[in-house]
Amino acid sequence: MVTLHQNGSWPTSYHREAYWCFAVTACIGCAHNGDFFRGLQLLDTAVILGLPRRQISAFFDYVENHATNSSMYAHWLSCKWRFGKMEDYSQRSVARDRLVRDGLSRPISFPMEECDFSSLSQREFQDMYVAYSKALVIRNFASSWPAIKKWCDLDFWVKEHGHRTVPIELGSMMKKGGMKEQLMTMRKFISSYLASSSDNGCWTLDSIQKDTTKDKIAYLAQHQLFEQMTDLLNDIDASPSFCGESGPVHINTWIGTGGTRTPLHFDSYDNLFVQLVGCKYVRIYNSDQSEKLYVMRKKDSPYGLQGNMSALDCENEDFEKYPLARTSEFVEVLMFPGDCLFIPSRAWHYVRGLSTSISVNFWW
């Protein structure tokens, strides 16, 4: 772990696998002594650092079940807390209207094509959008998923999963000083960040650019949370038919305070991005706009290693420094609970959280 903290990555795959072996061995010792809580922390950390749960699925299930039946867990449940619920933006409301009015840095000028889920067949989706790499908003795609109502409740997360260890990004890649990652329990993530973020309601672009907010922004970002907490799969459709016959390759979870910003970048997979709690603003540029988007290179920034990040600060562009970006073309959308966005492979996209929010995305 010292090597990982010092270098930011494992020197070789052997170092990573050696850590996995250590974590599982240490967990066996904890389980032998009846300390399943500590054992589960070790396994959570190993999965966060890349250990596929399927390789130890029976042992993981054993430790997980005993941890939730232990006296330590009973004590956990007896603790008094009440964090309440995040705002439910799934229906038209005064709070939702306020997000539209105050959350955007400017009115939507280049709306993305959209349709209702009930009016779109799988064949139409494949033939008209996937085949042509054309972005599409599908309203009410996930409106019937249990997660829409269930995951709004912060007390649900604390009661069921508050003892679990998760990786949290603190700060922002788009601000001076960047972000740092820290492992913490879900309960600490909620009590220290999500609860106060929910009280704040709408997060404007101006407010998150102030130094006073830098310690309030936190993000469980692009994490395969379902590898750790498999029961959460019951709350979503884990293999949407729109992902094709083979289904998704990865399912990522995004849980964050308001004010999170994912810089302009592209991915190598086709992507279904589903909003479950809260609201996000998303902007998409087609891949043919790449020459105008000032792609970062390794010499420019550590974030330029993969060649899929743009130097543009979306919503706050410096057109004197990046003049070609002035004529770049994009489409944009506000995502509410239940909405799904198809992001084609290699399409550039930027995302900002206007409120405390939860999303999942399916790469296929």
Side-chain angles (χ1 to χ4, degrees), residues 195-243:
S196 58
S197 171
S198 298
D199 292 339
N200 189 42
C202 177
W203 290 64
T204 66
L205 183 65
D206 289 340
S207 69
I208 65 178
Q209 291 179 328
K210 298 176 181 178
D211 287 340
T212 54
T213 64
K214 66 180 181 180
D215 296 327
K216 299 178 181 179
I217 295 175
Y219 211 3
L220 188 155
Q222 196 176 306
H223 178 52
Q224 294 183 34
L225 188 66
F226 300 105
E227 280 277 295
Q228 289 182 257
M229 308 171 195
T230 55
D231 60 307
L232 293 175
L233 289 168
N234 297 323
D235 299 332
I236 66 167
D237 179 353
S239 188
S241 61
F242 280 22
C243 291

Side-chain angles (χ1 to χ4, degrees), residues 114-121 136-141 143:
E114 64 177 71
C115 70
D116 191 85
F117 180 53
S118 63
S119 65
L120 182 68
S121 70
L136 175 70
V137 183
I138 309 171
R139 302 291 187 187
N140 297 308
F141 178 88
S143 58

Side-chain angles (χ1 to χ4, degrees), residues 15 47 51 73 82 95 186 195 211 246 268 285 307 338 344 349 356 358 363:
H15 288 79
V47 169
L51 173 63
Y73 188 67
R82 186 64 188 172
M186 182 67 81
D211 287 340
S246 300
S268 302
Y285 300 75
H349 48 287
T356 310
I358 303 177
W363 279 337

Side-chain angles (χ1 to χ4, degrees), residues 11-294:
T12 70
S13 61
Y14 301 114
H15 288 79
R16 181 179 67 245
E17 290 165 7
Y19 176 77
W20 296 348
C21 291
F22 157 77
V24 173
T25 303
C27 181
I28 292 172
C30 290
H32 179 74
N33 292 327
D35 190 355
F36 290 98
F37 242 53
R38 174 57 182 153
L40 187 57
Q41 289 177 337
L42 288 164
L43 293 186
D44 274 341
T45 304
V47 169
I48 290 168
L49 297 177
L51 173 63
R53 177 167 174 158
R54 64 181 178 276
Q55 291 188 5
I56 55 166
S57 59
F59 181 59
F60 201 117
D61 292 346
Y62 170 79
V63 173
E64 190 175 44
N65 289 335
H66 279 74
T68 55
N69 288 311
S70 67
S71 58
M72 180 72 75
Y73 188 67
H75 171 72
W76 178 276
L77 292 180
S78 69
C79 296
K80 303 298 182 182
W81 64 73
R82 186 64 188 172
F83 293 110
K85 294 186 177 183
M86 295 177 272
E87 188 72 49
D88 180 3
Y89 295 106
S90 60
Q91 302 295 325
R92 185 71 182 266
S93 64
V94 173
R96 180 162 162 169
D97 289 344
R98 182 188 172 216
L99 274 184
V100 176
R101 184 184 71 243
D102 299 338
L104 293 172
S105 57
R106 59 181 71 90
I108 297 285
S109 300
F110 307 101
M112 200 175 300
E113 183 177 346
E114 64 177 71
C115 70
D116 191 85
F117 180 53
S118 63
S119 65
L120 182 68
S121 70
Q122 182 181 351
R123 174 59 66 86
E124 289 172 329
F125 175 66
Q126 294 291 332
D127 291 350
M128 297 173 61
Y129 300 97
V130 178
Y132 290 95
S133 296
K134 185 178 182 181
L136 175 70
V137 183
I138 309 171
R139 302 291 187 187
N140 297 308
F141 178 88
S143 58
S144 64
W145 293 7
I148 294 290
K149 297 296 183 182
K150 188 175 181 180
W151 291 8
C152 279
D153 190 351
L154 292 174
D155 294 329
F156 156 75
W157 288 101
V158 174
K159 179 180 178 181
E160 300 296 330
H161 303 290
H163 59 297
R164 304 302 293 271
T165 302
V166 289
I168 304 300
E169 295 178 1
L170 303 176
S172 171
M173 293 171 62
M174 302 184 70
K175 297 186 73 171
K176 186 177 181 180
M179 62 88 177
K180 60 181 180 179
E181 191 169 69
Q182 185 178 122
L183 298 181
M184 65 179 69
T185 64
M186 182 67 81
R187 181 179 182 179
K188 181 178 179 182
F189 178 39
I190 290 170
S191 63
S192 299
Y193 299 100
L194 295 188
S196 58
S197 171
S198 298
D199 292 339
N200 189 42
C202 177
W203 290 64
T204 66
L205 183 65
D206 289 340
S207 69
I208 65 178
Q209 291 179 328
K210 298 176 181 178
D211 287 340
T212 54
T213 64
K214 66 180 181 180
D215 296 327
K216 299 178 181 179
I217 295 175
Y219 211 3
L220 188 155
Q222 196 176 306
H223 178 52
Q224 294 183 34
L225 188 66
F226 300 105
E227 280 277 295
Q228 289 182 257
M229 308 171 195
T230 55
D231 60 307
L232 293 175
L233 289 168
N234 297 323
D235 299 332
I236 66 167
D237 179 353
S239 188
S241 61
F242 280 22
C243 291
E245 293 182 3
S246 300
V249 177
H250 296 295
I251 308 176
N252 299 309
T253 304
W254 310 74
I255 305 176
T257 62
T260 58
R261 299 176 77 201
T262 301
L264 188 62
H265 72 288
F266 70 80
D267 299 308
S268 302
Y269 297 96
D270 282 328
N271 185 357
L272 285 183
F273 183 85
V274 183
Q275 190 66 19
L276 297 175
V277 176
C279 177
K280 284 180 175 173
Y281 168 77
V282 185
R283 180 185 292 189
I284 293 182
Y285 300 75
N286 287 336
S287 58
D288 61 8
Q289 300 295 301
S290 295
E291 292 184 358
K292 300 179 181 180
L293 300 181
Y294 298 88

